[in-house]
Amino acid sequence: MRITGYRTLTTVQEWGRPVGDANGVFADGVTAVPIVLVDTDEGITGVGLGPHTDLERIFAAIDGEDPRAVTTLYDRMLRQTFKAGHAGSVFGTIGALDTALWDIKAQAAGQPLWRLLGGRDRRVPAYASGLDIGLDDDALAAAYTVYARHGLRAAKLKGGLDIERDRHRLHVVREVLTEAGRGQRPGLMLDVNEAWTRKQAVRHVAELERTLDLVWIEEPVRRWDAEGLAVVGRGIRASVATGENLTGLEQYRPLIAAAAVDVVQMAAVWGVTHFLRVSALAHAYDLPVSPIGNHPVGLLHAATSVPNHMVSELQDLHPPVGITRDLHVEDGAFVLGDSPGLGVTVCEEEIGRYPRRSDVPTPDGPNVRPERAGRRLLAVADPAATPAGRYVTPLPGTPTHHHHHDGLPSAVPH
């Protein structure tokens, strides 16, 4: 079997409500989902969800190769980016291609990926994560009531801008989940997306812990600040969770060496091989792992095969436009199906029919770090009342980027 080419397209996730974090809000509730499809000469196509950054150059590392050599092809892609480095969105491109290759390998074997990787139990424990900083109290309670109906009894809220507001919102969700769990105490987490300094983090969380029991605080300070994360961990009762924005195994080493992380996280967009390698490193230090992302399908399969998986993030209960997944959510867990590979199907026609959007992205959406992050003296106005920014997704149906062996020119998207 040989890899013959790739195709790209972009669909969207329709949340039906504002979504965002301490850095900003997607006010229209629509976010982009880039897709990479990898084709083979045996008619098997693999699906990867992730960026298209520098795709042509990275694909050259696997062009014409047998896709079943997944882990060595992963290292070939890393070597392909040796001089400039593989951090940032380039690592996401590598992860998208890696996930597509695992999909192909499992399809070729006629097995779901979780089985191919050595998983025994198709159930993957989940927690609810609503990207909810832009919701008022009623919308917040309504959103977590839906999660609770699917058996979820743990929730991660977005916050970090106002201690009292965070306390209030955590209490709202605690009541919803406690009632759904018939009095069982829920698990509560807070994610502030690197919004604080070390002392701000300790002060903020310690104040919350006067009336709340937090399982973890997520990304309290900058992702690379091993010493700062360790300071936070020593100053609070909650665990420190971080890692979703670390791009490469080498970036975890200083954090683990400094005892700076209690729950090791990996983003779905970075790929399956990265998850497996970080999980092994974390396991050597008796640390649990927890995948992050709205479309963590590849990592859910991989999570069944590692000994230290704790829980996986569940954001939207519905798949993106034009995508179907052989999984469902019940009793607080993802339940993976028996379809060979990832169990992900892409309907290119449905994606192509999605109405084009004319809005232009603004520089103050949730993917842009605010100028005053870490330097705020006072609480920030309620994002539910004044969304921090409007960001609208790239258009679906933009030109598709092809690669073929027949020498035909590529169509490069703008």
Side-chain angles (χ1 to χ4, degrees):
M1 186 188 298
R2 297 292 166 187
I3 296 168
T4 58
Y6 68 82
R7 291 168 287 138
T8 67
L9 59 158
T10 299
T11 187
V12 295
Q13 184 80 40
E14 296 179 314
W15 295 81
R17 55 180 173 81
V19 291
D21 56 34
N23 302 306
V25 174
F26 290 102
D28 64 352
V30 179
T31 55
V33 182
I35 303 168
V36 178
L37 303 174
V38 176
D39 296 319
T40 67
D41 60 359
E42 294 192 10
I44 299 176
T45 295
V47 179
L49 303 178
H52 305 157
T53 306
D54 219 1
L55 183 50
E56 186 97 28
R57 182 167 68 94
I58 295 168
F59 182 79
I62 64 174
D63 191 4
E65 295 285 331
D66 187 324
R68 294 169 294 186
V70 184
T71 49
T72 47
L73 292 182
Y74 180 78
D75 287 314
R76 280 178 65 90
M77 289 190 283
L78 293 181
R79 292 198 301 273
Q80 193 81 359
T81 61
F82 165 63
K83 282 292 185 183
H86 58 248
S89 59
V90 168
F91 197 62
T93 301
I94 293 171
L97 291 170
D98 173 72
T99 301
L101 298 186
W102 278 110
D103 188 19
I104 293 169
K105 183 180 177 80
Q107 287 185 60
Q111 297 181 357
L113 181 57
W114 63 268
R115 182 73 77 190
L116 181 79
L117 290 172
R120 176 174 173 269
D121 187 351
R122 69 180 71 228
R123 298 177 59 83
V124 181
Y127 68 86
S129 177
L131 309 186
D132 46 53
I133 204 166
L135 303 182
D136 62 23
D137 288 358
D138 290 342
L140 182 71
Y144 282 93
T145 297
V146 175
Y147 289 124
R149 288 190 194 124
H150 288 80
L152 281 92
R153 298 294 179 262
K156 183 175 78 183
L157 276 67
K158 296 291 190 179
L161 300 178
D162 182 332
I163 292 176
E164 293 308 319
R165 176 166 165 74
D166 287 349
R167 188 201 315 275
H168 173 71
R169 298 174 82 250
L170 285 161
H171 275 282
V172 168
V173 172
R174 185 174 71 174
E175 289 178 16
V176 169
L177 296 184
T178 299
E179 182 177 353
R182 298 179 180 176
Q184 179 187 30
R185 187 171 71 175
L188 295 174
M189 297 84 94
L190 183 68
D191 183 3
V192 302
N193 297 95
E194 306 181 45
W196 297 329
T197 65
R198 304 170 185 187
K199 281 296 188 179
Q200 284 175 337
V202 172
R203 177 168 156 265
H204 197 119
V205 176
E207 176 61 26
L208 293 177
E209 288 183 328
R210 291 177 55 219
T211 57
L212 289 160
D213 180 29
L214 294 178
V215 177
W216 75 59
I217 181 70
E218 187 166 321
E219 290 193 321
V221 297
R222 300 312 304 271
R223 66 196 70 169
W224 51 75
D225 186 5
E227 183 182 10
L229 289 162
V231 167
V232 174
R234 290 193 294 269
I236 63 176
R237 297 199 309 266
S239 294
V240 171
T242 191
E244 68 174 279
N245 287 307
L246 301 182
T247 51
L249 191 63
E250 68 282 356
Q251 294 189 5
Y252 288 82
R253 285 163 53 185
L255 273 64
I256 290 176
V261 54
D262 303 303
V263 179
V264 179
Q265 297 175 314
M266 316 80 148
V269 73
W270 308 141
V272 172
T273 301
H274 171 69
F275 171 84
L276 293 171
R277 291 180 176 183
V278 175
S279 293
L281 175 63
H283 185 49
Y285 290 87
D286 293 316
L287 294 173
V289 296
S290 180
I292 292 289
N294 189 36
H295 316 292
V297 183
L299 302 198
L300 298 178
H301 284 267
T304 67
S305 72
V306 300
N308 51 334
H309 173 261
M310 174 184 276
V311 66
S312 288
E313 182 174 37
L314 170 61
Q315 294 183 0
D316 202 327
L317 288 156
H318 306 286
V321 171
I323 291 181
T324 57
R325 306 174 297 202
D326 185 13
L327 63 82
H328 63 279
V329 178
E330 69 176 19
D331 296 332
F334 295 97
V335 182
L336 299 168
D338 287 316
S339 297
L342 291 173
V344 173
T345 305
V346 177
C347 180
E348 298 182 51
E349 294 78 13
E350 183 178 352
I351 293 171
R353 289 194 303 268
Y354 191 87
R356 296 175 66 88
R357 304 172 62 82
S358 59
D359 306 67
V360 177
T362 64
D364 55 358
N367 294 334
V368 178
R369 183 170 171 80
E371 182 181 359
R372 298 295 299 174
R375 294 186 289 131
R376 300 182 180 104
L377 184 62
L378 303 176
V380 178
D382 182 356
T386 54
R390 177 182 177 82
Y391 181 91
V392 181
T393 60
L395 310 182
T398 50
T400 301
H401 192 165
H402 297 276
H403 177 95
H404 296 285
H405 292 299
D406 53 14
L408 295 176
S410 304
V412 183
H414 9 274

